[in-house]
Amino acid sequence: MDLAHVVENMETLKLSADGTVVVEQNIANKTHRPQPKGWSPSSWTTKPIKQDVVYSDRSAVSKTLVKLERLPPLVTPTEICKLKRSLREVALGKMFLLQGGDCAELFNYCEESSIESKIKLLLQMSLILIWGAKKPVVRIARMAGQFAKPRSSPTEMHNGREIPSFRGDNINGYNSDERTPDPSRLVAAYFHSASTLNFIRASISSGIADLHSPLDWELGHVKDEDIKANYERIVNSLTESLQFMRTVGADKAAGALETVDLYTSHEGLLLEYEQTLTRRLRHPSGLIEGVSNTSTPKLNGKSEDGVAEDKEGKGWYNTSAHFLWIGDRTRQLDGAHVEYFRGIENPIGIKVGPTMTASELKHLLDIINPSKEIGKITLITRYGENKIASLLPGHISAVKESGHVVVWQCDPMHGNTRSTPQGVKTRHFSSILNEVSSALQIHRKHGSFLGGIHLELTGDPVTECVGGSQGLKDEDLSTNYMTYCDPRLNEKQALELAFLIAGHYRGGME
């Protein structure tokens, strides 16, 4: 089945000469989705929930939620819809998605150098990927809200005593005497997110992403001379391209080298928090060319799929982040998280792991995106290097059969975690690279394409993942092992992965 048949009765797609997808709009191409039947920001409370937080003082929780409901949005519908437009282009093969950041943010990470290093790292990685894939890159940071983490057990043993597990700074503290869930941390999470977002916006508007400034491409850590020569060739090509744009004045025409869009994201785990920041706001107009807020055909006050239309031109936006995702542990079809996510306007990610069946995937897509909006859903696959070959083809086929056009994104981190003999969690760089390489090849073989990568990384010189051109080994982990959750790629490893992916697109890994 080719891609044109995948979206039959929704939109007409044609392949252009360069292999991307061209869309011919028809009446089903809406700017905004109609409101799902029976949905409200609190309808999730009627469903069974996983990974819930149990607070001892419900009156304190109520006061916290009332306060959060009064606070202003962290992001705007205009920003959210601009990202949706870009992700639509990713789904059609015209752009590439880079998403990365900490496994779980700590409140202590809300400081200048930590935020700045991640912005610069994502910028450099995106430049490398632009060079390799020859496509614009959409940048989404796991920042300004990625505090909570799902846990396999609500408790753990500490010095012979059972205590609650650490579940993220917005729930409880890492120290053993701070493990009782504290609702005031939700307000602290809001203000730390707001401060991080404020610094990101201020930094970008002040020129942190201005490519007229020299970038640090130091490659002294690369020990293999052949690999180093390949990286230097890419850097020289990038530098020459930027210099050419400056010479001919192409950079000044539209400020092309002076700023970028950087969006924020987190796992939508704590639904009470997400509900308070879910606001009914007016849809921004003109964000999708040729389509207005009133272009959806209606039959007796309903859209073609029978769902009630919002007569005021408004929708429910989660304003805690631009992009949210459902985790592998909370994607139950009849669960609270799926119920909540089906009603919001934001673009949504869904983690797809080894336990996801093809039938479940198709049902999940139909529940969350019944109007089959292109690029609304990003499928974040996380299998592991030894399982991807047996699982990804079936999921690709299921999505084609479903009629949905999604963004396919590879998360090569979570399926490749292991523990050292000393019990230290780590990931091997070669396993991460192997899963990305397999994803690229499998998508190509099955008439699909990989739209992006999803990485846990930091701009700091941590030693949490082994391997790579630095040659880190298990015994090196203690040098600067800083994570409170899962191991992250450091700056050099993250850049190296970007170089290798770019090389794949340019034929260097064929």
Side-chain angles (χ1 to χ4, degrees), residues 106-247:
L106 298 179
F107 291 163
N108 286 343
Y109 294 171
C110 184
E111 53 92 22
E112 179 180 2
S113 62
S114 178
I115 300 169
E116 191 174 86
S117 65
K118 282 191 276 285
I119 296 174
K120 289 181 176 178
L121 177 57
L122 289 171
L123 173 63
Q124 283 188 278
M125 292 179 71
S126 67
L127 281 176
I128 297 167
L129 293 170
I130 289 169
W131 176 88
K134 298 182 180 179
K135 297 177 182 178
V137 169
V138 181
R139 306 164 187 87
I140 303 180
R142 290 171 58 112
M143 291 172 66
Q146 177 53 17
F147 299 113
K149 289 294 291 182
R151 303 307 298 263
S152 57
S153 173
T155 62
E156 63 186 21
M157 298 304 296
H158 179 77
N159 294 333
R161 184 169 61 96
E162 187 177 26
I163 63 173
S165 298
F166 174 60
R167 300 185 60 183
D169 260 358
N170 60 346
I171 298 174
N172 55 7
Y174 185 77
N175 294 332
S176 60
D177 59 349
E178 298 178 327
R179 293 298 180 88
T180 300
D182 179 359
S184 70
R185 285 177 172 268
L186 295 176
V187 176
Y190 172 91
F191 285 110
H192 281 86
S193 298
S195 296
T196 300
L197 262 168
N198 180 67
F199 185 72
I200 291 172
R201 288 176 171 136
S203 297
I204 290 175
S205 66
S206 299
I208 192 174
D210 188 347
L211 297 184
H212 293 94
S213 303
L215 295 171
D216 179 15
W217 297 106
E218 196 274 317
L219 298 171
H221 65 282
V222 182
K223 298 178 180 179
D224 186 292
E225 291 300 322
D226 291 336
I227 294 176
K228 186 174 182 179
N230 284 333
Y231 295 170
E232 288 175 340
R233 177 176 55 83
I234 295 174
V235 169
N236 290 336
S237 178
L238 276 168
T239 303
E240 290 173 2
S241 298
L242 293 172
Q243 182 60 49
F244 175 78
M245 290 185 68
R246 297 180 190 119
T247 301

Side-chain angles (χ1 to χ4, degrees), residues 274-473:
E274 305 301 343
Q275 178 184 329
T276 65
L277 287 166
T278 302
R279 311 290 171 81
R280 188 166 176 266
L281 302 171
R282 187 166 300 280
H283 299 309
S285 60
L287 279 175
I288 296 181
E289 185 176 352
V291 185
S292 69
N293 292 345
T294 58
S295 63
T296 305
K298 299 179 182 179
L299 300 173
N300 299 322
K302 296 184 178 181
S303 66
E304 284 197 319
D305 49 15
V307 182
E309 285 290 330
D310 186 290
K311 296 179 180 179
E312 298 180 28
K314 294 182 178 181
W316 290 101
Y317 290 86
N318 182 308
T319 63
S320 70
H322 302 103
F323 178 101
L324 296 98
W325 70 86
I326 306 173
D328 203 38
R329 293 188 174 104
T330 55
R331 54 171 173 73
Q332 295 76 25
L333 295 177
D334 62 347
H337 288 81
V338 170
E339 169 62 21
Y340 170 77
F341 272 84
R342 78 181 180 95
I344 60 175
E345 295 285 343
N346 305 59
I348 292 166
I350 301 173
K351 288 292 186 84
V352 179
T355 60
M356 175 83 82
T357 66
S359 174
E360 182 184 12
L361 179 56
K362 288 191 284 188
H363 282 119
L364 196 53
L365 290 171
D366 287 340
I367 292 170
I368 296 177
N369 188 25
S371 60
K372 293 184 169 66
E373 182 182 352
I374 294 179
K376 165 74 175 179
I377 304 297
T378 295
L379 294 181
I380 311 167
T381 60
R382 41 153 296 174
Y383 306 113
E385 64 170 329
N386 297 321
K387 296 180 180 180
I388 184 172
S390 62
L391 295 170
L392 179 56
H395 287 153
I396 292 173
S397 297
V399 172
K400 286 184 177 182
E401 292 168 4
S402 74
H404 290 266
V405 179
V406 303
V407 174
W408 286 101
Q409 188 183 38
C410 177
D411 168 4
M413 309 295 291
H414 286 89
N416 293 303
T417 306
R418 66 174 181 85
S419 294
T420 68
Q422 293 73 35
V424 179
K425 289 193 348 183
T426 188
R427 292 157 173 161
H428 203 290
F429 183 87
S430 63
S431 299
I432 294 168
L433 175 62
N434 287 342
E435 182 158 359
V436 176
S437 299
S438 295
L440 286 162
Q441 295 161 5
I442 292 168
H443 276 290
R444 184 182 298 116
K445 180 179 179 181
H446 290 83
S448 179
F449 52 86
L450 183 66
I453 53 172
H454 188 121
L455 305 170
E456 291 184 341
L457 54 79
T458 176
D460 300 324
V462 300
T463 52
E464 297 169 3
C465 293
V466 297
S469 56
Q470 286 180 284
L472 293 179
K473 300 177 181 179

